[in-house]
Amino acid sequence: MSERTPLLHYRLSTSVHDSELQQPSTRRALVELPGSPRQRWSQHGQPKKLSTFFGVVIPTLLSMLSVVVFLRIGFLVGQSGLYQGIAMFLVAYFIISMTVLSVCAISTNGALDAGGAYYMISRALGPEFGGSIGLMFFLANVCGCALYVLGLVEAVVATFGVPEDGIASSYQVLQSGYWWTVLYATGIALLCLLVCLVGAHIYAKASFLIFLVVMFVLGTVFISFFAVGPRTIPLPSSVIANPTNATGPTSGNFTGFKLDTLLGNLWANYTLDYTTGNTMTFATVFAVMFNGCTGIMAGSNMSGDLKNPSYSIPRGTITAVIFTFIIYNLLSLLVACSCDRILLQRDYSFLRDINIWNPFVTIGVYSSTLCAAMSNLIGASRILYALARDDLFGKVLSPAKKTSQSGNPWVSVLISWFLVQLVLFSGTLNTIASIVTIFFLLVYAAVDLACLALEWASAPNFRPTFRYFTWHTCVLGIVGCAVMMFLINAIYASASIAFMLLLLLLIHYLSPTSSWGYISQALIFHQVRKYLLMLDVRKDHVKFWRPQVLLMVSNPRSSVGLITFINDIKKSGLYVLGHVQLGDLNTLPSDPLQSHYDSWLSLVDHLNIKAFVNLTLADSVRHGIQHLLFISGLGGMRPNTLVLGFYDDSLPRDRLIDPSLTYLSPAEEDQRQPFHFAGLRGSGDRRDCGEVGDGKALGPQEYVAIIADAMKMLKNVVLARHFNNFDRAQVLSQSSSFPGKASLFVDVWPVNLLRPDSCSYVDTCSLFLLQLACILNMVRAWRRATLRIFLCVEEGRSVKNSQEKLGQLLKELRIKAQIYPVSWDQQVALHWQRQGEWGRKQLAGNGNTINGETEAIREEDDGDYANSFPSNTTRLSDDYLAAVNQLILEQARPPPAVRFLYLPRPPADTRRYTAYLHQLELLTQDLGPTLLIHGVTPVITTDL
């Protein structure tokens, strides 16, 4: 996105006059992303026409009223009484109201497209949650459609079917049986299919007609309570024939408005349900009642067919919820005042018997059920279309993307109808009815979770115009939905959650990366910022020290072995890959580093390491590393250890070359490899010659100066040599191939080998070596390794005593290692021999040949050292260093995987930097993977 494309989703409508005055360049600036709502609107060539009333209010009202208002109001009041009945409505509507508030908040936070709840959840919580919940919501709508169709068939057969006793009226002509039921259900499903295939506008018109019928019938029901006089109503034959009712009454009374009737219906009286033979409880009655309140998403499912979804969904849904709440409570009060308990408990269709014209209630039941079936079918098709368009399930759902010229997803409608038809072959859906409700509740909980996550993330772009919600309402909605799920059926609820988690994992691993944004990233940022502020550097303690590493990488192609090894010694600490690119921003048109981050992050993913990437632009490598040491990290998470590759003349090897890419063209190779780094020095595709003419970006003087700078900044320093050919997997596989005996070793030389006159094992640097070696040994992959600590002793000193002291120190430090005494008298003799020669030359006063060396020695003797630490640079001979190097090699039987050596401080005299680096090179020659380590801060404690 550039400055010329500031708006990616431009939804504001402009007047014709403004459009005419708009300049072409301005029009081009309002660019839409491919697949955005506005672009799809232009592709279809027809604007969305459904208003709030037709698109949201009517579908939601009809889904929430359905058959409960006609067939279950008496059951509710008869079993639970008026008080508990009203309490149930309050609790149920409180739960769904919390979800409605979340729906309103999300739907007013931006452009809402087809898919309803799925679109809200997927764009807020990401494709995993959105895809799994969307698929379950689709299946819930499919099963819900079949449920309503079979319910309508049962109601039609009960009215127009031939009775079992064979005495039929003139209008009772329909045959009954399994295949007849499937035939009738198929016909009704075909009717729903035809309406939905024509389009949402025909569905809206059909819904409006059904809405008028249902409202008219509901009006006659209310009028009947006042217009119809008291009467005795015979109970259904199924109740009279029930063995539990052998001595019970055969009729119930409609008393009209009487105080005695109201008082008799105030309190609960749970008895057997004559349709199932089960004893009712508060939970079972509440579950039946709540099934009629789970239609709040019917309007949201039409989001792709609305003129203005962000405006219509909150207003329409809230209107429908308030209206149905008033209707249910008024109807409960009227029933409690006018019908005795026997009638309510034993005749659920009594509203038909007390109506001014009995068929009115039957028509209302048929109409509301048919509309609910159509609502679920068209809702399922819209969800399937949204799932297919987002490509979460690959090519499996690709046919469902097809739409008509008016934008109707007719293939999705056909697929949904086909699945409904399959469910209809079950013949009865008593079990699926509970699963459908649980699926709906799981979707509502996910919507609340999406709103909660957006609120907790505190993202600046989450600013919905609907503000009547808080995170408390979201939590209450989630808890309420979860409680209701397990109250309805704990087994089905647990299975549904497990199914959702399985889908979530499948989508996470199989679906491509989406560009919707991940709420998890916003939540992680919010929590990390909060805890970083709580991480106080003033409260640091040595007991909780951990290495926080800045590894400087010149070119990742040759540093793969070192990068993976350093990842093992970070011990859950900060790990930063640093890189310095030479250049001056004043002479460049833009920052060249921004285009490199993707390659570096792809490298981190490819190597499967836990590291951050920090790149900088500087005029020299030294200044760049200073920048990174100063600014890397945040708060209490800042690097305390600098790791550098060793400065030598060995040519680097490319460890990122994929053998399968050998015969590919450069263009094909670029497509296959996710990272693109420059060629290595010495390779054919490297054009630059470096700053010092040999392909290197810095010289030896600058390299040692970087080491000195880091120590001045109180950073521990590690120099890594011979890691070009280090293969972590190969090294560790050798140990696993011999499980019975130790074959993996890590050697530690915790003495300053460049100062044989001061061999101490308990200074800060030595303890730092031991700590890093112990950390490496604590890593799961390196636990088979054996630590070998080499104790350098001279003649005249007690080997046993020195070994016991070191062993006691390791015991106190809880470090498990093997101690190997090493006699180095011959090497020390070479050192003192050189010292004696220099002393004699100084006494002779022969300054013609060694005047410079003598002056350098005098300067060091005067105490002019870096940070007042002595250096021994000018007093070491090459013979001594070669002898020490040979000593280290002779002790390596079998050879170790890696060595840890003591790194002395650089000399204070910058003229001796080259000699210092030469000594380190001689010391580590042919040693294999070696770490030269210098610690400046205490890292070990023996206290609890």
Side-chain angles (χ1 to χ4, degrees):
M1 184 174 66
S2 65
E3 296 178 4
R4 295 186 59 82
T5 59
L7 299 179
L8 297 181
H9 293 280
Y10 187 69
R11 298 283 300 194
L12 303 178
S13 58
T14 56
S15 64
V16 176
H17 179 68
D18 293 338
S19 299
E20 291 174 353
L21 294 178
Q22 192 177 30
Q23 296 297 325
S25 60
T26 307
R27 291 180 184 177
R28 287 194 300 269
L30 305 176
V31 174
E32 307 272 341
L33 282 179
S36 65
R38 185 176 178 87
Q39 189 177 47
R40 284 190 292 273
W41 173 84
S42 62
Q43 289 173 354
H44 300 329
Q46 183 174 351
K48 303 165 185 175
K49 293 182 178 179
L50 295 185
S51 62
T52 302
F53 184 72
F54 287 97
V56 181
V57 176
I58 292 178
T60 307
L61 273 178
L62 292 177
S63 295
M64 295 186 69
L65 289 174
S66 65
V67 297
V68 174
V69 71
F70 299 113
L71 299 181
R72 288 296 180 264
I73 283 293
F75 164 79
L76 172 68
V77 178
Q79 295 287 347
S80 62
L82 181 62
Y83 287 158
Q84 288 192 16
I86 293 178
M88 288 181 184
F89 280 122
L90 289 174
V91 173
Y93 272 81
F94 176 78
I95 293 173
I96 65 173
S97 295
M98 298 300 100
T99 302
V100 167
L101 295 180
S102 300
V103 170
C104 295
I106 297 178
S107 62
T108 59
N109 189 51
L112 189 64
D113 204 5
Y118 159 71
Y119 190 85
M120 299 178 191
I121 297 170
S122 61
R123 269 50 179 183
L125 297 183
E128 293 91 349
F129 262 104
S132 57
I133 292 292
L135 186 59
M136 296 181 70
F137 197 28
F138 166 72
L139 295 176
N141 277 274
V142 168
C143 294
C145 178
L147 178 69
Y148 285 120
V149 168
L150 286 174
L152 179 57
V153 169
E154 291 180 4
V156 171
V157 171
T159 304
F160 299 101
V162 177
E164 295 180 1
D165 54 14
I167 304 174
S169 302
S170 58
Y171 59 85
Q172 294 177 319
V173 294
L174 296 180
Q175 298 294 321
S176 60
Y178 171 76
W179 289 109
W180 287 104
T181 300
V182 173
L183 178 63
Y184 303 148
T186 302
I188 297 173
L190 281 173
L191 176 62
C192 297
L193 172 65
L194 291 176
V195 173
C196 295
L197 277 178
V198 175
H201 307 294
I202 299 300
Y203 162 75
K205 293 178 181 179
S207 299
F208 179 63
L209 292 177
I210 296 175
F211 171 75
L212 293 179
V213 172
V214 172
M215 289 298 104
F216 176 77
V217 173
L218 202 56
T220 63
V221 169
F222 280 101
I223 293 172
S224 298
F225 284 105
F226 299 93
V228 176
R231 62 177 65 177
T232 300
I233 301 173
L235 299 179
S237 57
S238 59
V239 178
I240 299 174
N242 194 331
T244 60
N245 192 42
T247 59
T250 60
S251 62
N253 296 315
F254 174 71
T255 63
F257 292 103
K258 286 189 177 182
L259 182 60
D260 293 339
T261 305
L262 175 62
L263 295 176
N265 290 326
L266 288 179
W267 305 102
N269 182 19
Y270 295 106
T271 60
L272 291 176
D273 176 20
Y274 74 89
T275 60
T276 62
N278 300 324
T279 301
M280 294 294 100
T281 62
F282 180 89
T284 55
V285 174
F286 188 52
V288 171
M289 183 275 301
F290 195 81
N291 285 338
C293 303
T294 55
I296 57 174
M297 288 293 184
S300 301
N301 290 342
M302 302 297 296
S303 57
D305 301 290
L306 299 173
K307 285 182 181 178
N308 189 349
S310 299
Y311 176 87
S312 300
I313 290 176
R315 288 164 176 78
T317 305
I318 291 175
T319 301
V321 168
I322 294 175
F323 183 79
T324 55
F325 179 74
I326 294 173
I327 292 295
Y328 278 132
N329 282 279
L330 280 178
L331 203 54
S332 299
L333 179 62
L334 294 176
V335 167
C337 291
S338 58
C339 302
D340 65 7
R341 183 65 65 101
I342 294 175
L343 179 64
L344 297 178
Q345 290 180 343
R346 304 190 181 185
D347 185 5
Y348 298 156
S349 60
F350 72 96
L351 288 179
R352 180 185 59 196
D353 299 321
I354 66 172
N355 199 275
I356 53 178
W357 189 51
N358 293 0
F360 275 155
V361 174
T362 303
I363 294 172
V365 171
Y366 294 171
S367 302
S368 60
T369 308
L370 180 63
C371 186
M374 287 193 299
S375 175
N376 278 271
L377 180 59
I378 197 168
S381 65
R382 268 42 181 184
I383 297 167
L384 181 62
Y385 171 65
L387 283 168
R389 196 184 56 204
D390 288 336
D391 290 326
L392 294 184
F393 297 93
K395 297 182 180 180
V396 177
L397 299 179
S398 56
K401 299 179 184 179
K402 296 182 180 179
T403 61
S404 63
Q405 292 183 352
S406 60
N408 184 34
W410 60 274
V411 178
S412 297
V413 174
L414 287 175
I415 295 175
S416 303
W417 167 80
F418 177 75
L419 294 177
V420 169
Q421 187 63 49
L422 291 180
V423 178
L424 289 176
F425 282 107
S426 65
T428 179
L429 285 180
N430 292 333
T431 300
I432 297 180
S434 299
I435 297 179
V436 169
T437 304
I438 289 173
F439 275 16
F440 277 119
L441 286 172
L442 198 58
V443 173
Y444 299 163
V447 173
D448 288 318
L449 179 63
C451 188
L452 176 67
L454 290 170
E455 178 70 9
W456 274 355
S458 300
N461 281 323
F462 182 63
R463 44 178 185 271
T465 56
F466 182 88
R467 295 301 306 169
Y468 300 102
F469 78 100
T470 65
W471 68 268
H472 305 85
T473 61
C474 301
V475 171
L476 289 174
I478 295 172
V479 173
C481 291
V483 170
M484 277 307 307
M485 286 168 54
F486 286 92
L487 193 64
I488 292 172
N489 193 307
I491 296 177
Y492 292 161
S494 302
S496 300
I497 295 175
F499 181 56
M500 180 199 70
L501 295 177
L502 178 61
L503 288 174
L504 190 147
L505 292 175
L506 288 175
I507 297 174
H508 176 74
Y509 288 107
L510 299 179
S511 67
T513 303
S514 70
S515 59
W516 309 334
Y518 292 84
I519 190 65
S520 58
Q521 296 298 306
L523 290 172
I524 291 171
F525 176 88
H526 186 268
Q527 293 301 109
V528 167
R529 182 193 65 86
K530 181 174 71 174
Y531 287 115
L532 273 176
L533 291 173
M534 297 170 61
L535 190 61
D536 192 346
V537 294
R538 296 170 295 182
K539 298 180 182 179
D540 282 346
H541 195 277
V542 66
K543 288 191 297 185
F544 308 111
W545 180 90
R546 66 183 72 239
Q548 306 198 76
V549 181
L550 170 63
L551 170 62
M552 297 306 304
V553 180
S554 174
N555 193 321
R557 292 189 177 278
S558 61
S559 306
V560 172
L562 181 58
I563 293 173
T564 54
F565 179 77
I566 298 299
N567 185 65
D568 285 335
I569 65 171
K570 68 179 187 302
K571 189 55 180 175
S572 302
L574 181 67
Y575 185 21
V576 181
L577 299 181
H579 174 73
V580 178
Q581 180 167 332
L582 299 181
D584 186 359
L585 196 59
N586 290 329
T587 62
L588 298 172
S590 62
D591 183 5
L593 300 178
Q594 297 302 318
S595 59
H596 295 174
Y597 271 101
D598 285 345
S599 293
W600 283 85
L601 295 176
S602 298
L603 174 73
V604 170
D605 295 336
H606 174 71
L607 298 179
N608 194 25
I609 60 174
K610 298 178 180 179
F612 299 95
V613 174
N614 217 340
L615 312 180
T616 188
L617 188 70
D619 57 352
S620 68
V621 176
R622 181 182 182 184
H623 289 163
I625 295 179
Q626 288 177 356
H627 297 166
L628 293 178
L629 286 174
F630 277 125
I631 67 173
S632 289
L634 198 63
M637 293 188 66
R638 293 185 179 277
N640 55 29
T641 303
L642 173 67
V643 181
L644 301 171
F646 196 79
Y647 190 94
D648 55 22
D649 295 328
S650 62
L651 288 177
R653 288 184 56 190
D654 194 339
R655 308 292 294 185
L656 281 180
I657 294 179
D658 188 347
S660 64
L661 303 178
T662 305
Y663 302 103
L664 296 180
S665 65
E668 292 174 332
E669 182 176 344
D670 289 344
Q671 293 178 357
R672 289 280 301 275
Q673 284 192 335
F675 27 78
H676 310 284
F677 300 109
L680 298 171
R681 59 186 175 90
S683 61
D685 57 347
R686 174 92 176 201
R687 296 181 179 179
D688 61 307
C689 297
E691 294 292 316
V692 294
D694 57 356
K696 299 180 182 179
L698 75 166
Q701 193 81 5
E702 186 179 0
Y703 177 79
V704 180
I706 293 172
I707 301 174
D709 291 342
M711 294 182 184
K712 292 176 184 177
M713 298 167 68
L714 298 181
K715 306 294 183 184
N716 309 301
V717 178
V718 178
L719 306 183
R721 191 177 188 191
H722 301 304
F723 276 87
N724 287 344
N725 299 322
F726 181 81
D727 189 337
R728 178 179 181 273
Q730 182 179 356
V731 170
L732 296 178
S733 64
Q734 293 176 357
S735 65
S736 60
S737 60
F738 302 99
K741 63 177 183 178
S743 59
L744 184 64
F745 297 95
V746 176
D747 288 0
V748 182
W749 295 76
V751 66
N752 187 354
L753 297 174
L754 270 62
R755 289 191 65 90
D757 53 338
S758 175
C759 51
S760 173
Y761 291 93
V762 291
D763 65 351
T764 300
C765 187
S766 299
L767 294 178
F768 186 77
L769 257 76
L770 295 175
Q771 179 78 321
L772 286 189
C774 179
I775 288 174
L776 179 65
N777 197 212
M778 293 169 67
V779 177
R780 182 187 301 273
W782 290 84
R783 285 178 184 172
R784 293 179 178 270
T786 301
L787 292 186
R788 299 188 300 192
I789 300 180
F790 293 92
L791 175 65
C792 296
V793 293
E794 299 178 35
E795 184 179 359
R797 295 189 180 184
S798 174
V799 176
K800 184 177 180 181
N801 188 30
S802 300
Q803 189 172 354
E804 288 178 353
K805 287 183 179 180
L806 182 58
Q808 182 63 28
L809 174 65
L810 295 178
K811 183 178 180 181
E812 292 178 358
L813 299 178
R814 291 88 63 202
I815 297 176
K816 184 179 179 181
Q818 298 177 1
I819 302 175
Y820 292 87
V822 177
S823 175
W824 65 332
D825 293 313
Q826 296 179 0
Q827 290 77 18
V828 174
L830 289 174
H831 170 69
W832 290 116
Q833 180 181 355
R834 175 65 180 268
Q835 293 286 82
E837 291 176 358
W838 279 357
R840 287 193 298 271
K841 290 178 180 180
Q842 282 184 293
L843 290 175
N846 186 6
N848 296 327
T849 58
I850 57 170
N851 186 47
E853 292 182 356
T854 305
E855 185 65 26
I857 295 172
R858 186 177 296 114
E859 287 180 2
E860 291 193 2
D861 289 341
D862 291 341
D864 186 14
Y865 308 121
N867 289 343
S868 299
F869 284 90
S871 175
N872 206 30
T873 308
T874 58
R875 303 179 184 180
L876 296 175
S877 65
D878 291 352
D879 294 338
Y880 165 76
L881 293 171
V884 172
N885 174 262
Q886 190 63 31
L887 174 68
I888 298 174
L889 286 173
E890 290 173 353
Q891 304 302 320
R893 297 291 183 273
V898 64
R899 289 181 174 87
F900 288 67
L901 300 185
Y902 191 113
L903 174 68
R905 284 179 170 268
D909 186 0
T910 58
R911 292 173 297 177
R912 310 303 306 173
Y913 278 0
T914 304
Y916 169 79
L917 187 59
H918 174 67
Q919 291 170 359
L920 296 181
E921 184 176 0
L922 290 177
L923 179 66
T924 58
Q925 188 174 3
D926 300 326
L927 289 186
T930 303
L931 294 182
L932 290 161
I933 302 171
H934 187 92
V936 297
T937 56
V939 297
I940 287 182
T941 178
T942 58
D943 296 335
L944 183 63

